Amino acid sequence: MLEFLFWLSAVLVVYIYIGYPALMGLLALNKRPVAYDDSYQPNVSILIAAYNEEKDIAETLENKIAQQYPRDRLEILVVSDESEDDTDQIVQRYARKSDVSIRLLRQTPRQGKTAGLNLIAPEAKGEIIIFSDANSQWASDALAKLVRNFADPEVGYVTGKMIYTHDDGSLMGDGCSSYMKYENWLREKETAVGSIVGVDGGIDAMRRNLYEPLSPDQLPDFVQPLKVVEKGWRAIYEPYALLKEKALKDSDSEFAMRVRVSLRAIWALYDMRQLLNPINHGRYAFQLLSHKVLRYYAFIPLAIMAVTSTILSNDGALYALAFWGQVIVYGLACVGHSRQSQGQNLSTAYGVPYYFTLLNWACFKAALAFSRGEKKVTWNPRKG
């Protein structure tokens, strides 16, 4: 029984992180192209939900105003979730002086990002609505790169590419960045197959007529693309629409953020569980199960493999190799945690094991919270 559990868990772990991406790579050889058009420039609305963002909102608005896009086809809508600092005043100041239309709506009482987007989405005049975080910094051509994909009548949702940076703007070289490279590669392959199953909430776009109001506890940048796919449209990845975001400096903040995001994603999977029916949704149900459900619960086979390999380590060379391999990986993760706690930048040798362990531990905590019925609705600005 122990050997069976070991091999079952080992096969699952290999499938989740290697097998499924390899399968997507093979299926992507029969590529399903996107008929994008660089000259396609419809009216667009950028939606920003903000809570106490006086530190970042001015820079974010300047970044959006500076987009290489026709000024008369662009508007920016900001919803302030009962901000208590100078966020509202800063937005109003830019609204008075900008040649791009900027509108501020205030949500009271505080209800969270999703409720805020529900409030301002009906006010959008654009054919395409774009979602930006209050601290998101886009490349100057990111908006144009996102929107060009909607020239394809099959495309309903587009996400861009997130790149983590240091404070000085230089690219990260640790596990956080490596994880995003891995995810972005997989999104390229899923796009070639048909539709992706995960997006980056700081640089997403969708057709306005496909937007559905969500309950305040739902994660919009997870549920909205799933709903778009459910309606028969494609959700795709645009690798040339770039978003730079500063990585969190300390492991506690990163871990708390990952637990919060994972918890809301697990609830989103539960709310959209009808998409896991292969009879109705075929290959996409398989993608959703493999890329998301199994990934969020990968801590289970990882734990089983750790326990069984420890018990079986004296029963054969393969089990001993598996045991010591895990000791090395988790040992490097511990060193990575220690070094990051001391403010040191991590090399890939430490960063990848550390971030891999952090993500799975966060998923474990999120799964426990989900089992207790806990939900996260409101948020605080990222620190660091």
Side-chain angles (χ1 to χ4, degrees):
M1 177 58 71
L2 285 176
E3 291 183 349
F4 172 76
L5 289 174
F6 170 82
W7 286 109
L8 177 62
S9 60
V11 168
L12 272 174
V13 169
V14 171
Y15 172 74
I16 291 168
Y17 293 105
I18 300 175
Y20 172 70
L23 181 58
M24 285 296 102
L26 288 174
L27 292 176
L29 295 176
N30 186 21
K31 187 174 182 179
R32 184 178 177 184
V34 177
Y36 66 81
D37 182 356
D38 286 317
S39 66
Y40 184 70
Q41 295 181 322
N43 292 332
V44 301
S45 303
I46 298 176
L47 310 186
I48 302 173
Y51 169 70
N52 288 353
E53 296 284 358
E54 64 179 8
K55 179 181 176 182
D56 296 310
I57 194 64
E59 186 179 7
T60 298
L61 290 174
E62 290 177 0
N63 175 257
K64 304 305 175 287
I65 293 169
Q67 287 294 302
Q68 298 171 6
Y69 204 80
R71 327 304 286 165
D72 60 340
R73 300 181 188 178
L74 171 63
E75 69 168 356
I76 302 171
L77 284 77
V78 180
V79 57
S80 173
D81 193 20
E82 202 175 25
S83 294
E84 299 165 336
D85 61 0
D86 289 334
T87 297
D88 295 14
Q89 290 74 20
I90 294 171
V91 175
Q92 290 169 337
R93 185 166 68 247
Y94 273 87
R96 288 192 295 268
K97 69 178 184 179
S98 175
D99 61 343
V100 171
S101 173
I102 299 177
R103 289 184 282 160
L104 172 71
L105 288 84
R106 186 170 173 84
Q107 177 173 254
T108 55
R110 189 181 180 207
Q111 300 174 60
K113 176 180 179 179
T114 306
L117 294 177
N118 287 339
L119 178 65
I120 60 175
E123 302 294 324
K125 299 176 181 178
E127 178 184 342
I128 307 298
I129 54 178
I130 325 285
F131 305 105
S132 169
D133 289 337
N135 63 344
S136 294
Q137 294 296 303
W138 298 351
S140 60
D141 62 348
L143 177 57
K145 295 298 186 185
L146 281 176
V147 171
R148 67 178 183 171
N149 293 280
F150 291 100
D152 188 328
E154 294 185 344
V155 172
Y157 199 104
V158 183
T159 191
K161 179 179 181 179
M162 180 186 292
I163 301 173
Y164 284 106
T165 67
H166 296 292
D167 286 343
D168 62 3
S170 60
L171 298 183
M172 294 288 291
D174 63 6
C176 179
S177 179
S178 297
Y179 171 76
M180 288 311 304
K181 290 177 182 177
Y182 170 82
E183 278 295 298
N184 288 332
W185 179 88
L186 184 51
R187 287 169 184 166
E188 284 188 15
K189 302 310 175 185
E190 289 178 334
T191 295
V193 170
S195 286
I196 59 175
V197 297
V199 306
D200 289 322
I203 184 164
D204 296 334
M206 67 182 296
R207 297 183 188 273
R208 185 187 61 181
N209 62 348
L210 295 179
Y211 183 90
E212 284 191 31
L214 304 178
S215 62
D217 61 281
Q218 288 183 310
L219 186 64
D221 46 309
F222 198 125
V223 177
Q224 288 291 2
L226 293 182
K227 286 185 173 291
V228 166
V229 172
E230 186 178 28
K231 294 183 178 76
W233 299 73
R234 293 180 69 185
I236 67 166
Y237 168 66
E238 171 53 74
Y240 295 103
L242 301 181
L243 158 66
K244 288 186 177 182
E245 185 164 309
K246 293 179 182 178
L248 293 172
K249 295 179 181 179
D250 65 279
S251 56
D252 290 341
S253 297
E254 179 73 23
F255 180 72
M257 183 270 288
R258 288 296 169 187
V259 172
R260 183 179 70 252
V261 171
S262 298
L263 175 58
R264 298 191 75 186
I266 292 172
W267 273 110
L269 288 168
Y270 177 79
D271 292 341
M272 298 297 294
R273 58 192 180 278
Q274 67 272 16
L275 285 176
L276 292 168
N277 185 339
I279 296 176
N280 296 329
H281 301 285
R283 184 169 58 200
Y284 195 74
F286 166 76
Q287 289 180 234
L288 194 59
L289 173 66
S290 300
H291 191 166
K292 291 302 178 182
V293 177
L294 292 181
R295 178 82 67 82
Y296 281 117
Y297 284 89
F299 63 85
I300 296 177
L302 283 169
I304 293 174
M305 189 167 66
V307 172
T308 55
S309 64
T310 300
I311 298 173
L312 296 169
S313 59
N314 293 323
D315 293 347
L318 282 176
Y319 300 121
L321 181 63
F323 169 74
W324 286 110
Q326 291 171 93
V327 169
I328 292 172
V329 168
Y330 295 127
L332 290 171
C334 290
V335 175
H337 177 267
S338 176
R339 291 191 174 188
Q340 188 180 69
S341 298
Q342 297 170 16
Q344 300 180 32
N345 292 325
L346 302 183
S347 65
T348 301
Y350 296 108
V352 171
Y354 165 67
Y355 203 70
F356 173 83
T357 305
L358 180 145
L359 285 174
N360 280 287
W361 184 245
C363 288
F364 168 68
K365 297 286 286 186
L368 282 181
F370 172 76
S371 69
R372 295 191 294 263
E374 296 179 17
K375 294 185 177 183
K376 299 289 185 181
V377 176
T378 58
W379 82 104
N380 291 304
R382 287 181 59 165
K383 301 294 191 298

